[in-house]
Amino acid sequence: MSSEFNELLQRPHGDEAQIWVVGTREQVNHIINEFQVKRVITDRSQFSPLIPAPLAQGRYMALLMR
């Protein structure tokens, strides 16, 4: 796992909801764009950086903290 992802996991989140997006690089980028178009998020920077999924070869993931 990347150090950026580990830093996200170590922060206390309390009752904040999380949305995990896992898929191919294109699928994850498409879903992030879709969230922005549908105004679920205001900016792409609300998602964590795109990182390789630790347990799925060839898959990527991003995390949104709400």
Side-chain angles (χ1 to χ4, degrees), residues 3-58:
S3 60
E4 293 171 357
F5 183 68
N6 287 334
E7 289 173 17
L8 285 171
L9 287 177
Q10 292 173 3
R11 294 184 195 154
H13 299 301
D15 291 332
E16 292 180 18
Q18 301 175 2
I19 298 173
W20 294 64
V21 180
V22 179
T24 65
R25 181 181 293 272
E26 293 79 22
Q27 289 170 330
V28 174
N29 278 323
H30 178 77
I31 290 171
I32 292 172
N33 290 336
E34 191 175 358
F35 271 50
Q36 190 170 4
V37 168
K38 292 183 177 181
R39 298 185 183 182
V40 175
I41 60 171
T42 56
D43 187 16
R44 290 179 58 91
S45 66
Q46 291 177 276
F47 273 95
S48 69
L50 197 64
I51 61 171
L55 301 175
Q57 186 176 1

